[in-house]
Amino acid sequence: MKNKAFDHWRSGMLQIAALAMTAFFSMQALAAAEPAAAPLKVPDLKYEKYTLPNGLEVILREDHRLPLVAVDLWYHVGPVNEKVGRTGFAHLFEHMMFEGSEHVGEKAHIKYLEGVGATDINGTTDYDRTNYFETVPSNQLDLALWLESDRMGFLLETLDRAKLTNQRDVVRNELRQDEGQPYDVADEAMGHLLFPKGHPYYGNIIGSHADVEAARLLDVRDFFHRFYTPNNASIAIVGDFDAATIKDKVAKFFAPIPTGPAVEKIKVETPPITTERRVTVTDTVQLPRLTVAWLTPEAYKPGDADADMFLSILGGGKVSRLYQKLVYETQVAQSVTCNNQSKMVTSIAQCDILARPGVKLEDLEAAFDKEVEALRTEGPTQAELNRARNKLLSGLIQGLQRLGGFGGVADMMDRYNQYLHDPGYLPKDVARYEAVTTASVKQVGQTVFGKNQRVVVYCVSGKKVTDDVPRSPEDTDANVKVVPPYTPEFETAQNWRKDAPKPGPEPTLHLPTPKTFTAANGMKVYLIEEHALPVMSASLVTLAGGENNPTDKPGLAAFAARMLTEGTTTRSSTQLANDVAQIGANLGSNATMDSATMSVGALSNNTSGAMELLADAALHPAFKAEEVERIRKQRLVAILQEGDHPVLSALRVGQKAVYGEQPYGFRAVGTTASVKATTQTDLSSFWAAHYTPKDAALILAGDFTESEAKRMADKYFGGWAATGNASETHLPPAPSAPERKIVLVDKPGSPQTTLIAFGLGVPRNSPDYPAVTEMNSILGGLFSSRINMNLREKNGFTYGAFSGFMFYRGGGPSFSGAQVRTDVTGPAARELFSELNRIHTDPATPDELKLAKDNALRSLPGEFETVGNESALMSQLFVYGLPNDYFQKLPSAFEAVTPEAVAKAAQDYIHPQNLIVVAVGDRAKIQPDLEKLNLGPIEIRDESGDLVKQ
């Protein structure tokens, strides 16, 4: 029941890098001050909406903060428009739309966007709509409009059986990738209980293997003709455009596209649930999961906002009732997640509760029921409602920092327009949540969240059952005749589209240089002022990362960082969470290999309170014995859960195989043995030794002035005088280059093989960084890279292939690979190494280097779109010893990279003969083909990276 995103830009690379670097964990606990929130000042989002003669709705909003423009095109089509036996068509077209249209050319769409440094390039499908978006430099707006209009009006001219066959394979690889994730079968079972067969929300948004494979050329062409039309779409353009010319631009590119057939109004009846429905499914999981779901009021209809609040209060964060009772107090659950998915036909409320080892789902359900019934019958307190409301409203305001992409301004306006025909609905949206009362939440609980109105899914350990089907015959659609959609005269009149638009004048790059100063205690302070929105971000960054872990205590740094949000000397864990919630902030802490970070974000009217909480948590951690034991149990279970995730298993095994028993050889969470052995004294001693002002930096970004920054640093951190010195710690020694071999991790029944080759990498502060970045973009860092175009686009082996580097202070591993179909594991490995060798024998072409260089150079402004991003970038200056003007000079460094430098980067850092290939999959099916490749000896390891005796 999840929104499916075709993450076609750096999809695999970003996933691997994010997991490997341990993405920042934020404890979302946003709320208002007691007893009631102060009135929220909603920014005035001025916009203009009009409709072209062909029916396309156009939404315009100027924003000149950055030289960027977001283009977000929504088609009002999704599974809600599909027929039985023909599911997955909307999602299939999410893929087909990137394959190239008549005037743009085959496989060229993303290449154009990557070449101009576009960010947030994506397409997503939900039950009610499909959208496509990109954020481009402001001088490239014409290019974005050309690309979007050409695939709206001229996709059918290039939609042939070869492209359909290829994208059927890609989509089914995405489906297999989902099926390989834990609990996916439970999510699908939930949909089958909520809705009858034939209901558009019954199945997977992607469709089924059978339906996707059954998609035929004339079927999909007809689907496109009916729904991908200007009269069934809206386009939001937000950012740095010229108001005097924008309407002419839109008309030039979109007005010639003919109006399509009228789209019938959706008429779907959803039978109410009057008696509880339940099922038990099996999956290859370590922990059983309880899922409970209800049907709730439609999006933006009466009761929808109240249901949001009910779910948030019940299980929407660390201060929610379920978390406090099941995760914190009784510790019968590992995690709790509740959310309300607002849709057009009906909304879906879902709670997922992971049981701790040894806990029966029946007992977990009984505890869950007790909390639900208490909230239904008694209603929430005013304080609970305030917290839930502010969590949502604060998220809305902070989302306004982004022009486009998921949740950005363009996305928000298109969403409001889709459901309400009112792109400027934000103030009314805020008002409907402000109108929610404790009584209305209680009422929705009583009318919607009853036992007889719900479905229950038990997911327990066992065999995973999927519905894969064979591929269609090679001659499928071979004799199909297609009729051109337009007359020759119309085609001739549109010949002007054959030439890509020329860019406007190059915008001046104004990448920020922080204001810096050093406090009396040696702590560095970095400040980026941004006053456009009332938001702030503050991070305390220390050199207390995993590189400091003792050999016998991997995971110690991350364990210590995790404890910083679990209570101080004056606040318990719960009190800290409540205090964070009361000021509408978010507080989080974590350690990567290089550093540890504690961060807070809030609306700027709560800056003082947020800074006080940041300082208290970072400087006065309690490390209470009972909290240490609680978090220890959570981390042990998290390690167990990693075995359910093929990518995490591959990372754990690959890092250990390359680096052995040193810090770089372990995941940040550590090992079962190390977590069990870590004592309260270990944690407090590590903090005392490595959290010290002379090895720390306070990063401030957002609605601060320089005088305020100095006052905040002195007031909240001026008294910090720890004596440790993390900088004296030596970096882990670089190991010898490994001999090539294959490491197999057996995962019987897996629908895919996670295939990743690991090797030695390069430090982040290396002068080769610009050349390595551009070389990697060519190899596997971009969608249009060699590896992805080979494994995905040419051969259809995978949903996405990639390469990259984990740029630690001391190097860190390199990685390349993909999640591939089980039956093509051998061919995929062969093609992967073909590209790893070819980067040496076939130098980057001028076009490849230009695209990589332009992408690196022109995408930089988009990296500074939010105060959180700015804070993270400034942290790099401190952690890696980079000069304050580093980002100002980085564009010229990218520009200066030569073909010879790219070739040298490949020679120095891509060593196919020294890679360890990790394959997580069904050993019985993949080992024979891997042996035939002669890539080296094959050894068998378990999911912890330990050798398995044969």
Side-chain angles (χ1 to χ4, degrees), residues 488-796:
E489 292 77 15
F490 180 82
E491 290 281 5
T492 300
Q494 297 299 307
N495 279 342
W496 60 270
R497 295 180 182 269
K498 291 181 178 179
D499 297 321
K502 302 297 183 184
E506 197 75 31
T508 303
L509 285 180
H510 292 295
L511 302 181
T513 296
K515 299 174 182 177
T516 60
F517 58 92
T518 302
N521 59 8
M523 179 185 72
K524 294 181 174 63
V525 181
Y526 296 73
L527 169 66
I528 298 291
E529 291 189 52
E530 293 286 353
H531 301 290
L533 287 169
V535 296
M536 58 79 68
S537 172
S539 300
L540 185 72
V541 183
T542 68
L543 301 180
E547 64 193 22
N548 298 295
N549 289 331
T551 304
D552 62 340
K553 294 286 174 62
L556 177 58
F559 198 161
R562 175 69 177 82
M563 291 305 303
L564 299 186
T565 58
E566 297 302 330
T568 72
T569 54
T570 58
R571 289 178 168 98
S572 68
S573 176
T574 299
Q575 186 61 53
L576 178 61
N578 282 330
D579 288 351
V580 170
Q582 288 171 11
I583 65 165
N586 58 77
L587 181 72
S589 62
N590 197 33
T592 64
M593 193 57 66
D594 301 314
S595 62
T597 301
M598 182 130 205
S599 184
V600 68
L603 300 182
S604 56
N605 62 324
N606 288 311
T607 294
S608 295
M611 293 296 295
E612 194 275 328
L613 288 167
L614 174 69
D616 189 34
L619 306 186
H620 309 115
F623 297 109
K624 293 179 181 177
E626 63 270 24
E627 301 295 353
V628 171
E629 292 310 308
R630 182 173 61 83
I631 299 304
R632 186 197 313 280
K633 292 176 184 177
Q634 287 188 1
R635 296 181 81 77
L636 288 172
V637 175
I639 293 170
L640 184 68
Q641 286 180 277
E642 285 192 349
D644 293 342
H645 294 268
V647 170
L648 295 180
S649 296
L651 286 168
R652 180 176 289 277
V653 174
Q655 288 179 239
K656 188 170 184 177
V658 172
Y659 289 94
E661 302 289 329
Q662 60 126 303
Y664 286 4
F666 295 96
R667 298 262 300 134
V669 72
T671 66
T672 297
S674 69
V675 172
K676 286 181 176 179
T678 298
T679 66
Q680 181 184 13
T681 301
D682 290 333
L683 294 167
S684 60
S685 297
F686 185 91
W687 174 84
H690 296 286
Y691 284 73
T692 172
K694 56 188 173 182
D695 287 300
L698 178 64
I699 316 291
L700 303 174
D703 197 13
F704 296 92
T705 63
E706 187 171 4
S707 61
E708 286 172 333
K710 291 180 178 179
R711 180 174 59 83
M712 295 284 180
D714 181 65
K715 180 177 180 179
Y716 296 109
F717 295 93
W720 184 22
T723 57
N725 195 337
S727 62
E728 293 180 355
T729 302
H730 296 292
L731 293 174
S736 301
E739 292 295 322
R740 188 168 68 191
K741 61 184 175 183
I742 296 175
V743 176
L744 272 177
V745 180
D746 193 15
K747 203 168 180 64
S750 175
Q752 285 190 313
T753 301
T754 298
L755 185 73
I756 305 178
F758 293 89
L760 300 179
V762 56
R764 174 62 180 85
N765 63 357
S766 167
D768 293 335
Y769 177 80
V772 171
T773 297
E774 294 182 22
M775 180 275 295
N776 182 66
S777 291
I778 295 165
L779 177 63
L782 297 176
F783 178 85
S784 55
S785 65
R786 293 181 176 186
I787 291 177
N788 192 56
M789 295 305 287
N790 183 330
L791 271 67
R792 172 181 161 135
E793 295 299 307
K794 176 183 176 182
N795 287 297

Side-chain angles (χ1 to χ4, degrees), residues 378-446:
E378 300 167 11
T381 66
Q382 185 65 49
E384 287 178 313
L385 177 57
N386 289 342
R387 286 195 292 266
R389 178 162 38 219
N390 259 46
K391 174 183 178 179
L392 186 141
L393 297 182
S394 296
L396 277 178
I397 301 305
Q398 296 201 33
L400 300 178
Q401 296 176 77
R402 301 178 65 231
L403 298 174
F406 298 109
V409 176
D411 189 52
M412 174 191 292
M413 289 184 158
D414 259 328
R415 179 180 294 107
Y416 288 148
N417 188 69
Q418 160 99 5
Y419 288 101
L420 301 158
H421 309 290
D422 180 4
Y425 187 75
L426 178 61
K428 298 174 186 176
D429 203 6
V430 171
R432 75 185 182 112
Y433 284 102
E434 290 180 333
V436 174
T437 65
T438 56
S440 67
V441 174
K442 178 180 177 180
Q443 181 182 24
V444 82
Q446 293 176 342

Side-chain angles (χ1 to χ4, degrees), residues 150-314:
D150 206 61
R151 62 180 175 183
M152 174 188 280
F154 302 92
L155 187 79
L156 290 184
E157 284 78 356
T158 65
L159 179 51
D160 57 23
R161 59 187 294 263
K163 286 185 179 179
L164 178 58
T165 299
N166 175 269
Q167 290 308 303
R168 275 201 308 256
D169 286 343
V170 171
V171 169
R172 292 185 62 197
N173 284 330
E174 181 183 2
L175 188 52
R176 294 184 187 100
Q177 186 169 301
D178 281 0
E179 290 168 345
Q181 297 303 309
Y183 311 107
D184 181 76
V185 292
D187 289 329
E188 187 164 5
M190 184 195 73
H192 293 174
L193 288 182
L194 285 170
F195 305 103
K197 280 188 177 181
H199 192 285
Y201 293 179
Y202 173 83
N204 196 320
I205 290 173
I206 297 180
S208 67
H209 281 287
D211 283 3
V212 173
E213 194 58 47
R216 295 296 176 256
L217 187 58
L218 293 182
D219 294 331
V220 296
R221 288 177 67 90
D222 177 67
F223 190 83
F224 182 89
H225 175 70
R226 287 191 290 126
F227 296 111
Y228 292 81
T229 59
N231 50 300
N232 196 42
S234 65
I235 185 170
I237 303 171
V238 177
D240 185 31
F241 58 77
D242 179 8
T245 61
I246 185 63
K247 290 185 178 180
D248 288 341
K249 290 178 184 291
V250 172
K252 173 184 176 181
F253 291 105
F254 286 96
I257 301 172
T259 302
V263 177
E264 295 181 7
K265 188 175 181 179
I266 301 299
K267 296 178 181 178
V268 177
E269 294 293 331
T270 303
I273 298 172
T274 57
T275 303
E276 182 185 78
R277 306 167 185 169
R278 57 173 57 233
V279 70
T280 298
V281 298
T282 57
D283 197 357
T284 53
V285 294
Q286 304 289 337
L287 301 179
R289 191 185 84 176
L290 167 68
T291 295
V292 183
W294 299 263
L295 301 177
T296 56
E298 303 98 305
Y300 302 103
K301 294 296 179 64
D304 178 45
D306 307 278
D308 284 346
M309 296 298 94
F310 185 95
L311 268 293
S312 183
I313 293 164
L314 180 64

Side-chain angles (χ1 to χ4, degrees), residues 337-356:
T337 304
C338 292
N339 62 78
N340 189 43
Q341 305 168 52
S342 296
K343 310 296 180 189
M344 179 172 63
V345 173
T346 181
S347 298
I348 303 164
Q350 178 175 346
C351 287
D352 296 321
I353 306 96
L354 276 181
R356 281 283 180 86

Side-chain angles (χ1 to χ4, degrees), residues 112 115-117 136-146 249 252-253 499-507 850 854 858:
Y112 273 115
V116 301
V136 297
S138 54
N139 68 322
Q140 296 287 353
L141 174 58
D142 284 21
L143 178 72
L145 298 178
W146 174 65
K249 290 178 184 291
K252 173 184 176 181
F253 291 105
D499 297 321
K502 302 297 183 184
E506 197 75 31
K850 182 178 187 306
D854 287 348
R858 291 170 177 161

